[in-house]
C-alpha cells in the first residue's frame, strides 16, 4: 500500500517533482547502381588486427559499458582510453595507515597464478539474433548475438560454449556478430562477419574464420563497418558459403553492397556488378543450380529497402545481377528460404527491426516463372500493426513452413505453422507451453507467467535438418527450443545453459558477510548469489526491469538497497532475501544509491535531480547540498555516490567533469571537495569507478579511470597515481594474501600495454595478470574480489554475464 510522504516539500525547494515514500513487502536506398572497380582486401600479415580505440558494447551506452559516444555523435572515441596517461608531476606521497605503494610500481614478473573460470548462472538475458543448425552433423548448432559473440552447442550436449572470449577490449566490437556462416560440406569450418556499429566512431568490421568449429580463429580486417548491434541485426544471414564450392563466400553488407571471397574468406573484394551502396538483409545460394566442385550459379540477395528493387538475382555465380520484378510494395524482405522445389519463401516487414515495424507479409516466389503468391497467415492492420521476420522450412517436407510475427506488441507475437505450403496456418501460441525451470527470472520478465507469452523480437526460427520435431526460435532475451513441433501441444524449454548476455549498469558488490555477490543488470534486474553460483533463486523479481545500482552496508550487511528503471528505490533488511519499496519518483530516473557502512544512512542520487539523503531507512528524505549537478544515469553527466566502507556516515563522489573528489562527513547532508587535479573525463567516455576499501581506514579510496589508477591511502593522504597503469576501468577488493593485512586489489586495466584483469597483494606496488588471452571476454569494466575466499574474483564481462575466477 502506498503512503503519502513528508517529501512533498522537496518539490518546492529542490525541483518540480512528485516524490512519494512507499512501504510494501516483497518476496523478493538504392540510388547508386553504377558498378565500381573491385576493391581488394587482404588479411593482416600477422593474422591480427591493429589496436583501435575502445568503444561501446550496448545499444544505449551506460556508465557501466565500454564507452560509446551518444547516439548521433560522430566524434571518434577518446585518445585517453588507449593512450598514455599524462604526467602527474612529482612529489612524495603522504604516508597512510597501510603504506603507499612506490611510484614505480610494476606488473609482477613472478610466477603466474592459474585460474579456472566459470559463470554465475543467469541465463541469456539478451538478444539472440540468429540460429544455425549444421546440415551435415546432427546436433551441431550455432547461435549469434548482437553484443556477445557466437556460441556453439556440440552434438549430444545441452550446454552452449562461447567462442569469442579471446577478444580483448580493443576488439570488443567484434563481439557483434552481424552474420554467421557454416560450410555445409566441412563441419570444421565456421565464419563470422563481425562488427557492431555503423557510425564513423564504430570499429571497422572483420571476417573471423575458424577451421576447428570456433576453437581458434584467423582474421581478415575489412574497410567497412557492419551493424551487429544496429537496426537489422535480426534479419537473415548475410554471410554465406557456396554449398558447391566452399572456397567461395559472399557477404551482404549493411550499406556497402556485396563482397566476395574466392579463397575461403582470407581475402575479399567488393562485387562490381552489384549496387555498391545497397544494404542486404540476406544472401542465399540455390545449390541445385550447379554441382559439387563448381561455383553455384544462382544466388539471391534481399535488399534493405521498402521502395525500388528489393530482391536481386544472379545466374552466373555473382558476376552480374538483376532485380527480380514484382513482390509486395512498401515492404522489404527480411528472411528467405528455398524449399527445394523451385520456390523461394520470404518474410517481409516495413522496417529493418527489431523495433518500429508496423506492416509485413509472407510471400512465396516461383523462381522459374517469377510468380508471386501471398501466403500471409494474418494480415497486419491499422489497429493491429506488426510485421513478419522469422522463417523456417522443413528440410524433409517443403510444405512445412514456420514464420514469426515481430513487433505485435498489443496482443503478443506468435509463430504460425503451415503443413500445406502456406495455404492454411495454425498459430502456435494457442497450443504451446513454455518452461524455464533453471531461469525463474524469465517468468517474472514475462509479467509473472509464461502462459500465452511467446516472447518479443522473434526474428529467427530454425528446424533441425535431422529431426523435423526439433525447432528453435529466438527472442530479445534468449532462446526457446521444442522437440514436439508435430504434436498437438508444442512444449518449449528455455535451453540457454552456458549463454550469458546480461549487461552491467553498476559495480559488482561482494560484501564481507551474507550473500557473496549482488548484481545490477540492464533490462533484467539482477540477482543475489549466496554460495551457489549455479542457481538464480536470488533474482530480483520485483520490480523486474533495468537496475541502475545495488549497494550493501559493509558493517551491517542485512541492509541492502537498489535502484530501478521503474524509478523505485528498494530496500532490504535481511541481506536481500525480501524487499520493500522505500521510495519512488515521477518524471526522473531512479539514479543510484549508496548505503553507509553501518546502514544508518542512505545517499540517493536520482538522475537529473539533486542528491537526497535519509537517516531513517527511507521514511523521509532531505536534499543534500554541495553534490555536483547530475544528469540522467545515461546522460554522461551522472556522478556516482560511494559510501565509505569503514567510517559510517561518510560518502564520496567523483566529479569527473572537474577532476575532483567530494566528501560528506554528515550522512550525505552536505558535500565539499577534498581532492582536485584528478583525471578529467569527457561526458561520453565516463567509464570510471571510485571505490572504498573495506576493512581498512577512513578515506582509503581507489579511483579507476581511462587515464589510469589513483590511490588515496586514508584521511590526510594525497592522491597517488599508480605508475605503468595506462588505463583502468574498474577496481575492487578481496581477501588479503597470506601474511598480509591489506586486502587484495583487483583491477580491470591496461598495465604495461596489456589489457587484463590484475591482482595486487601489496597495495598496488606490484601487479599480476590473472586472466589469459583466451579469457578476455571482449574487455572488462567492473571487477571485484571476495573478502571471504582468497583469490576469487568476479568479472563483469563486456560480452555479458558474471565470470567467476577461482585459483586452481
Amino acid at each position: 500500500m502506498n503512503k503519502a510522504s513528508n517529501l512533498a516539500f522537496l518539490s518546492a525547494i529542490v525541483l518540480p517533482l512528485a516524490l512519494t515514500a512507499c512501504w510494501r513487502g516483497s518476496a523478493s536506398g538504392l540510388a547508386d547502381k553504377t558498378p565500381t572497380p573491385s576493391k581488394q582486401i587482404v588479411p593482416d600479415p600477422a593474422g591480427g588486427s591493429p589496436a583501435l580505440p575502445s568503444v561501446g558494447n550496448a545499444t544505449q551506452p551506460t556508465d557501466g559499458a565500454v564507452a560509446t559516444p551518444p547516439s548521433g555523435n560522430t566524434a571518434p572515441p577518446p585518445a585517453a582510453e588507449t593512450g598514455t596517461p599524462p604526467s602527474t608531476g612529482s612529489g612524495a606521497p603522504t604516508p597512510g595507515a597501510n603504506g603507499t605503494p612506490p611510484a614505480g610500481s610494476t606488473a609482477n614478473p613472478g610466477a603466474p597464478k592459474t585460474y579456472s573460470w566459470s559463470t554465475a548462472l543467469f541465463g541469456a538475458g539478451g538478444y539472440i539474433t540468429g540460429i544455425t543448425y549444421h546440415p551435415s552433423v546432427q546436433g551441431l548448432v550455432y547461435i549469434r548475438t548482437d553484443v556477445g559473440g557466437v556460441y556453439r552447442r556440440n552434438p549430444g550436449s545441452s550446454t552452449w560454449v562461447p567462442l569469442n572470449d579471446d577478444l580483448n577490449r580493443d576488439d570488443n566490437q567484434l563481439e557483434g556478430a552481424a552474420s554467421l556462416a557454416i560450410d555445409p560440406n566441412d563441419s570444421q569450418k565456421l565464419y563470422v562477419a563481425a562488427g557492431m556499429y555503423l557510425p564513423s566512431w564504430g570499429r571497422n568490421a572483420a571476417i573471423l574464420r575458424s577451421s576447428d568449429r570456433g576453437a581458434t580463429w584467423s582474421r581478415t580486417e575489412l574497410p567497412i563497418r557492419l551493424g551487429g548491434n544496429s537496426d537489422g541485426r535480426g534479419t537473415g544471414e548475410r554471410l554465406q558459403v557456396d554449398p558447391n564450392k566452399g572456397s567461395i563466400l559472399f557477404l551482404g553488407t549493411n550499406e556497402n553492397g556485396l563482397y566476395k571471397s574466392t579463397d575461403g574468406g582470407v581475402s575479399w573484394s567488393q562485387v562490381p556488378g552489384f549496387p555498391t551502396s545497397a544494404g542486404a538483409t540476406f544472401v542465399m545460394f540455390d545449390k541445385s543450380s550447379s554441382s559439387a566442385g563448381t561455383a553455384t550459379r544462382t544466388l539471391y540477395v534481399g535488399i534493405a529497402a521498402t521502395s525500388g528493387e528489393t530482391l536481386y538475382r544472379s545466374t552466373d555465380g555473382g558476376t552480374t545481377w538483376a532485380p527480380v520484378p514484382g513482390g509486395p510494395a512498401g515492404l522489404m524482405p527480411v528472411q528467405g528460404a528455398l524449399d527445394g522445389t523451385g520456390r523461394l519463401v520470404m518474410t517481409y516487414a516495413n522496417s529493418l527491426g527489431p523495433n518500429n515495424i508496423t506492416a509485413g507479409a509472407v510471400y512465396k516466389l516461383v523462381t522459374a516463372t517469377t510468380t508471386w503468391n501471398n501466403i500471409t497467415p494474418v494480415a497486419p492492420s491499422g489497429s493491429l500493426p506488426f510485421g513478419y521476420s522469422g522463417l523456417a522450412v522443413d528440410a524433409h517436407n517443403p510444405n512445412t513452413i514456420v514464420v514469426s510475427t515481430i513487433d505485435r506488441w498489443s496482443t503478443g507475437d506468435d509463430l504460425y505453422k503451415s503443413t500445406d505450403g502456406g495455404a492454411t496456418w495454425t498459430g502456435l501460441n494457442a497450443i504451446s507451453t513454455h518452461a524455464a525451470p533453471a531461469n525463474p527470472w524469465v517468468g517474472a520478465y514475462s509479467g509473472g507467467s509464461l502462459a500465452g507469452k511467446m516472447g518479443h523480437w522473434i526474428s529467427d526460427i530454425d528446424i533441425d535438418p535431422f529431426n523435423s520435431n526439433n525447432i528453435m526460435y529466438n527472442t530479445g532475451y534468449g532462446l526457446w527450443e521444442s522437440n514436439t513441433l508435430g504434436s498437438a501441444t508444442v512444449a518449449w524449454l528455455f535451453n540457454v545453459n552456458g549463454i550469458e548476455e546480461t549487461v552491467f549498469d553498476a559495480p559488482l558488490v561482494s560484501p564481507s558477510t551474507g550473500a557473496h555477490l549482488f548484481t545490477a543488470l540492464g533490462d533484467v534486474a539482477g540477482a543475489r548469489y549466496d554460495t551457489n553460483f549455479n542457481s538464480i533463486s536470488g533474482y530480483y523479481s520485483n520490480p523486474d526491469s533495468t537496475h541502475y545500482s545495488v549497494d550493501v552496508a559493509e558493517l551491517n550487511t542485512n541492509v541492502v538497497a537498489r535502484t530501478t528503471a521503474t524509478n523505485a528505490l528498494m530496500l532490504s533488511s535481511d541481506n536481500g532475501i525480501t524487499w520493500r519499496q522505500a521510495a519512488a519518483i515521477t518524471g526522473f530516473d531512479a539514479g543510484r544509491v549508496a548505503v553507509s557502512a553501518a546502514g544508518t544512512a542512505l545517499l540517493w542520487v536520482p538522475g537529473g535531480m539533486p542528491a537526497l539523503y535519509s537517516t531513517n531507512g527511507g521514511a523521509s528524505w532531505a536534499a543534500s547540498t554541495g553534490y555536483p549537478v547530475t544528469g540522467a544515469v545515461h546522460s554522461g553527466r551522472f556522478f556516482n555516490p560511494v559510501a565509505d566502507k569503514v567510517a559510517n556516515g561518510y560518502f564520496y563522489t567523483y566529479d569527473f567533469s572537474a577532476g575532483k573528489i567530494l566528501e560528506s562527513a554528515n550522512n550525505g547532508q552536505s558535500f565539499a571537495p577534498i581532492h582536485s587535479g584528478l583525471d578529467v573525463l569527457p561526458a561520453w567516455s565516463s567509464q570510471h569507478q571510485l571505490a572504498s576499501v573495506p576493512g581498512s581506514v577512513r578515506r582509503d579510496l581507489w579511483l579507476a579511470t581511462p587515464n589510469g589508477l589513483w590511490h588515496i591511502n586514508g584521511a590526510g593522504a594525497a592522491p597517488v597515481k599508480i605508475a605503468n597503469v595506462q588505463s583502468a576501468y574498474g577496481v575492487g577488493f578481496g581477501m588479503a594474501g597470506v601474511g598480509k593485512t591489506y586486502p587484495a586489489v583487483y583491477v580491470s586495466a591496461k598495465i604495461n600495454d596489456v589489457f587484463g584483469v590484475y591482482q595486487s597483494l601489496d597495495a598496488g606496488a606490484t601487479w599480476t595478470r590473472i586472466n589469459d588471452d583466451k579469457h578476455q571476454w571482449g574487455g572488462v569494466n567492473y571487477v571485484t574480489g571476495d573478502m571471504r575466499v582468497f583469490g576469487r574474483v568476479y568479472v563483469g564481462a563486456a560480452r555479458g554475464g558474471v565470470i567467476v575466477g577461482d585459483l586452481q
Side-chain angles (χ1 to χ4, degrees):
M1 180 176 71
N2 294 339
K3 288 185 178 180
S5 166
N6 58 1
L7 272 177
F9 76 97
L10 285 177
S11 63
I13 67 170
V14 181
L15 280 176
L17 60 96
L19 182 59
T20 59
C22 307
W23 302 87
R24 61 187 176 90
S26 170
S28 47
L30 288 178
D32 181 7
K33 301 178 185 177
T34 306
T36 59
S38 174
K39 301 176 184 176
Q40 185 74 14
I41 304 99
V42 296
D44 186 290
S49 63
L52 296 173
S54 297
V55 287
N57 80 311
T59 304
Q60 183 184 30
T62 74
D63 284 351
V66 182
T68 304
S71 178
N73 190 332
T74 57
E81 294 241 351
T82 56
T84 302
S87 170
T88 59
S90 59
T94 302
N98 296 288
T100 300
S105 63
T106 63
N108 190 344
K113 296 176 171 60
T114 301
Y115 267 78
S116 63
W117 302 98
S118 59
T119 58
L121 175 68
F122 194 88
Y127 190 17
I128 292 173
T129 50
I131 308 162
T132 301
Y133 285 87
H134 202 285
S136 63
V137 178
Q138 186 171 5
L140 180 59
V141 195
Y142 297 93
I143 62 167
R144 58 180 170 94
T145 71
D146 53 0
V147 299
V150 300
Y151 287 77
R152 182 189 70 237
R153 195 172 74 179
N154 294 319
S157 174
S158 61
T159 299
W160 297 90
V161 180
L163 302 182
N164 297 126
D165 281 357
D166 61 323
L167 293 172
N168 67 18
R169 191 181 189 91
D170 277 341
D171 291 333
N172 164 264
Q173 289 198 27
L174 299 185
E175 295 272 13
S179 190
L180 178 150
I182 51 89
D183 185 333
N185 302 305
D186 186 343
S187 67
Q188 296 299 310
K189 296 289 181 68
L190 178 65
Y191 303 87
V192 177
M196 206 172 280
Y197 297 110
L198 298 175
S200 59
W201 45 262
R203 186 205 192 281
N204 276 5
I207 299 296
L208 309 181
R209 56 191 193 278
S210 175
S211 296
D212 50 18
R213 300 185 182 181
T216 61
W217 297 94
S218 298
R219 185 189 307 180
T220 297
E221 298 289 336
L222 299 177
I224 61 173
R225 289 179 289 275
L226 294 174
N229 192 30
S230 302
D231 285 350
R233 58 195 185 274
T235 61
E237 296 300 348
R238 301 175 173 94
L239 180 65
Q240 295 283 3
V241 179
D242 190 324
N244 290 304
K245 192 172 183 179
S247 60
I248 297 175
L249 293 88
F250 279 84
L251 168 66
T253 71
N254 290 85
E255 52 191 16
N256 300 100
L258 192 64
Y259 278 71
K260 180 182 180 181
S261 173
T262 60
D263 56 7
V266 176
S267 60
W268 292 81
S269 299
Q270 191 177 39
V271 176
F274 192 86
T276 57
S277 63
T281 56
F282 64 79
V283 174
M284 183 178 305
F285 288 92
D286 183 352
K287 181 181 179 180
S288 68
S289 65
S290 187
S291 57
T294 305
T296 300
R297 297 188 60 81
T298 301
L299 299 88
Y300 296 89
V301 176
I303 302 299
T306 57
S307 61
E309 292 80 11
T310 60
L311 181 66
Y312 274 75
R313 174 169 53 193
S314 174
T315 57
D316 56 9
T319 300
T320 61
W321 295 84
V324 178
L331 301 174
M332 67 176 70
V334 179
Q335 299 238 10
L338 288 161
D339 69 358
T341 68
R343 291 166 175 82
L344 173 58
V345 184
M346 287 173 283
T347 54
Y348 280 82
N350 65 341
S351 181
L352 280 167
N355 285 318
N356 305 313
I357 295 174
T358 59
V362 183
Y363 274 76
K364 182 182 288 187
L365 171 67
V366 181
T367 60
T369 62
T370 316
T371 301
W372 294 82
N373 297 299
N374 186 344
I375 59 170
T376 306
V378 177
S381 65
S383 60
L384 186 60
F386 64 93
Y388 285 90
S389 183
L391 168 66
V393 177
D394 189 344
H396 299 286
N397 183 355
N399 284 321
T400 298
I401 307 169
V402 182
V403 299
S404 74
T405 66
I406 189 169
D407 288 358
R408 196 167 73 174
W409 300 108
S410 60
T411 62
D413 283 306
D414 203 350
L415 271 62
Y416 289 91
K417 175 188 173 184
S418 176
T419 58
D420 52 15
T424 61
W425 298 86
T426 299
L428 296 187
N429 190 16
I431 61 170
S432 287
T433 63
H434 288 77
N439 311 94
W441 69 267
V442 179
Y445 185 78
S446 302
S449 172
L450 289 169
K453 308 286 180 62
M454 299 295 285
H456 70 286
W457 288 5
I458 305 175
S459 53
D460 198 25
I461 310 166
D462 247 19
I463 298 174
D464 187 338
F466 293 90
N467 178 3
S468 298
N469 282 317
N470 180 232
I471 182 173
M472 295 186 194
Y473 74 88
N474 77 310
T475 71
Y477 57 84
L479 182 75
W480 292 99
E481 181 176 13
S482 175
N483 287 305
T484 60
L485 178 60
S487 301
T489 298
V490 184
W492 302 93
L493 284 174
F494 197 62
N495 285 346
V496 298
N497 185 34
I499 304 172
E500 297 293 342
E501 299 178 85
T502 52
V503 176
F504 295 88
D505 256 335
L508 302 161
V509 178
S510 181
S512 58
T513 63
H516 279 254
L517 182 66
F518 292 83
T519 65
L521 306 175
D523 297 326
V524 289
R528 170 190 186 272
Y529 295 89
D530 198 344
T531 57
N532 183 5
F533 294 101
N534 293 315
S535 170
I536 193 65
S537 60
Y539 173 66
Y540 313 144
S541 60
N542 180 28
D544 182 85
S545 67
T546 289
H547 273 48
Y548 294 136
S549 66
V550 62
D551 198 26
V552 181
E554 178 62 22
L555 305 181
N556 179 12
T557 58
N558 280 327
V559 182
V560 189
R562 54 187 170 95
T563 56
T564 80
T566 59
N567 298 343
L569 172 66
M570 306 296 293
L571 291 179
S572 174
S573 57
D574 55 10
N575 194 239
I577 297 172
T578 61
W579 298 88
R580 62 179 175 87
Q581 181 172 307
I585 57 174
T586 301
F588 302 88
D589 68 51
R592 293 181 175 138
V593 65
V595 185
S596 70
T600 59
L602 302 169
L603 177 61
W604 184 21
V605 187
M609 286 177 55
L612 307 171
Y613 72 97
S614 174
T615 56
N616 57 8
S620 62
W621 299 84
S624 179
T625 61
Y627 202 93
V629 178
T630 186
V633 166
H634 297 312
S635 68
R637 290 280 306 174
F638 189 90
F639 305 105
N640 296 305
V642 176
D644 194 297
K645 296 300 182 182
V646 175
N648 190 48
Y650 281 78
F651 293 95
Y652 310 95
T653 191
Y654 171 50
D655 182 349
F656 58 84
S657 69
K660 296 180 179 180
I661 294 177
L662 294 83
E663 179 186 69
S664 171
N666 54 7
N667 297 311
Q669 180 177 347
S670 61
F671 281 80
I674 55 171
H675 294 295
S676 60
L678 301 169
D679 297 330
V680 175
L681 307 178
W684 56 268
S685 176
S686 58
Q687 170 59 35
H688 66 277
Q689 186 181 358
L690 179 67
S692 170
V693 183
S696 180
V697 297
R698 178 170 67 84
R699 204 189 288 175
D700 188 348
L701 304 172
W702 290 76
L703 173 64
T705 86
N707 291 346
L709 181 66
W710 297 80
H711 185 203
I712 303 164
N713 197 13
V720 173
K721 197 163 191 177
I722 306 299
N724 301 317
V725 181
Q726 290 100 326
S727 305
Y729 304 96
V731 58
F733 313 99
M735 177 182 279
V738 175
K740 305 286 185 178
T741 59
Y742 195 82
V745 183
Y746 297 89
V747 293
S748 55
K750 187 178 185 179
I751 298 180
N752 292 331
D753 298 316
V754 178
F755 285 116
V757 177
Y758 290 85
Q759 179 199 67
S760 176
L761 300 179
D762 50 17
T766 59
W767 298 93
T768 300
R769 185 186 180 202
I770 59 176
N771 69 320
D772 54 42
D773 287 350
K774 278 291 186 182
H775 299 91
Q776 302 190 79
W777 312 289
V780 173
N781 281 331
Y782 296 119
V783 60
T784 194
D786 191 306
M787 295 299 290
R788 288 166 280 175
V789 182
F790 175 69
R792 178 174 290 172
V793 62
Y794 304 108
V795 174
R799 59 89 158 158
V802 178
I803 309 298
V804 181
D806 280 302
L807 281 167
Q808 289 188 328

